[in-house]
Amino acid sequence: MAEIERESMDYDVVIVGAGPAGLSAAIRLKQLDADLDVVVLEKGSEVGAHILSGAVLDPCGLDALIPDWKEKGAPLNTPVTKDNFYILGEEGKLRVPNFPMPPLMNNHGNYIVSMGNVCRWMAEQAEELGVEVFPGMACSELIYEGDRVKGVVAGEFGKNPDGTPGDGYEPGMVLNGKYVFLSEGVRGSLAKEVIGKYGLSDGHEPQKFGLGMKEIWEIDPAKHREGTVTHTMGWPLGGNAGGGSFIYHLENNQVYVGFVVHLNYKNPHLFPYMEFQRFKHHPMVAELLEGGKRVAYGARAISEGGYQSMPKMVAPGVALLGCSVGMVNVPRIKGNHNAMLSGKAAAEAAFEAIKAGREGDELSAYEEEVRGGAIGKDLKKVRNVKPMWSKWGLWPSLGLGGFDMWTNNLFGFSLFGTLKHGKNDADATGLAADYPAIDYPKPDGKLSFDRLTNVSFSMTNHEESQPCHLTLKDPSVPIQFTLPKYAEPAQRYCPAGVYEVVEKDGTPEFVINFQNCVHCKTCDIKDPPQNIHWTVPQGGDGPNYPNM
């Protein structure tokens, strides 16, 4: 096939992804030098369309970037007024008092927000400064020049299902930069390529992940407690998996109801989505939601490896920002503040490099700032909480993790040193024969819902005539290997019902319904043989989250 000819444009900095990290970088670059040419490319149909987060936001990142954000109308409207923490049993609950918790766990001064709306507002601030922001522009490949990353291909449309150019084919453009910032969020396809090509994870612990699922509910005003934040652990997961829930009361009688399952679970019969649906039938949750209605649904993977899992963040010409590195503080369930600080740090490093006449080298000053500055300090204090939970379970990790956070907070050291994570989440999956199947109750259509019904509330859409963006390294593996050994867990770990095993002429067949995909990336993470590879569909496709 003849090489595709594409037009190209040159920028000082090309930023992939209009999340909190990418937009912070764009804003900071233009604050430092209004003459810099900066472009932000976003695969969602609009900024915020693919943003899903809890979210209780620590405003420290915004304070550092735009100190007068309040005057400029940032959508931080609901300050946290009350913090609740419960351990759930099947019928009851145990309140964990706030006083023994380390100060970092306190949500005083934080805000319940829609990160989608925060990013929409940040994009407006960026555009006012002269940043070019292009939504609907999926970045499908990297451009290399020698050993450096030189740019990206964005905006390729109109391929046939077999990957050949269709009648309305548009080849997309090459956008070159002196530096390219990858802020794609968790498990981005370009960041994954860069990490592999340059060996950026060598010498670091494997990244660990969770699957976060979220619904927005409108509830009875009499039950609404604006500013209340509730977290739970325990039932229904029990010993089957780590994880927990969040319930955040924002404005307008709305509540965010979310559930996180750590993806290092062993039992391949576990069904994370159904654990979420079962959770809502707990008396505490059912009473809150009774008479209300669910108005939105979505799901997204979360990076949970923390301090010891952060790969090297720079390679020639390219830097990884935010969740492309993994900057979530797991016990605080917060990462957006660190994403913003990482964008600011990367921008400052690129500004100094460009001012000195450099381009295409490694922005080592950025990495030094992340590891040695506010982000590194935030993550280092809590680095052992996740591996403790994985190794020793809920109750021991609550006590030991709390103790470890206190010693880190008061004395700046840990008696445990830095614990290792061990296996990646795919390798943690056990054989189907070694674990019991789990019988899940049928959704009732009032509190709990089947997957496909819920996916319709994510406003997900993909043009069906394009190539499937979920590729298999070997198409025979799901039926010949993963099904007999692991009962093909893709049928269960996907929160959108993308993967099915169906009978056809008496033999099983693996079906990929890519139109349902909400871009959570769980399949890329959890598939035991690592046979599924997530790539970008054409720009604008995927979920269209309104207020996630």
Side-chain angles (χ1 to χ4, degrees), residues 18-102:
L23 290 169
S24 295
I27 289 166
R28 187 62 182 146
L29 283 161
K30 293 297 268 188
Q31 287 174 341
L32 291 165
D33 184 350
D35 293 329
L36 287 173
D37 289 323
V38 181
V39 64
V40 178
L41 304 162
E42 165 56 41
K43 68 181 171 68
S45 60
E46 62 168 348
V47 173
H50 291 178
I51 298 289
L52 186 142
S53 186
V56 172
L57 179 66
D58 179 340
C60 67
L62 215 46
D63 290 340
L65 186 71
I66 308 173
D68 58 346
W69 54 264
K70 229 171 234 183
E71 291 73 22
K72 289 189 169 174
L76 280 67
N77 306 319
T78 310
V80 176
T81 56
K82 189 174 182 184
D83 249 332
N84 298 317
F85 191 83
Y86 294 100
I87 308 290
L88 298 186
E90 189 164 356
E91 294 295 329
K93 62 183 187 284
L94 173 68
R95 172 85 191 268
V96 178
N98 292 31
F99 70 84
M101 293 191 186

Side-chain angles (χ1 to χ4, degrees), residues 348-416:
E348 288 166 355
F351 164 72
E352 292 295 341
I354 292 168
K355 190 171 76 173
R358 291 160 39 208
E359 68 169 278
D361 59 340
E362 293 191 1
L363 291 171
S364 54
Y366 161 60
E367 175 135 9
E368 287 162 15
E369 169 58 29
V370 169
R371 294 193 188 274
I375 298 170
K377 289 184 174 74
D378 184 51
L379 297 179
K380 195 170 185 181
K381 289 177 187 173
V382 301
R383 65 191 182 278
N384 290 326
V385 172
K386 167 70 175 173
M388 282 176 174
W389 197 346
S390 300
K391 291 174 196 294
W392 301 322
L394 174 58
W395 289 105
S397 68
L398 269 179
L400 292 171
F403 171 76
D404 192 55
M405 285 190 282
W406 268 112
T407 57
N408 271 289
N409 197 67
L410 293 173
F411 309 116
F413 74 91
S414 169
L415 294 173
F416 298 92

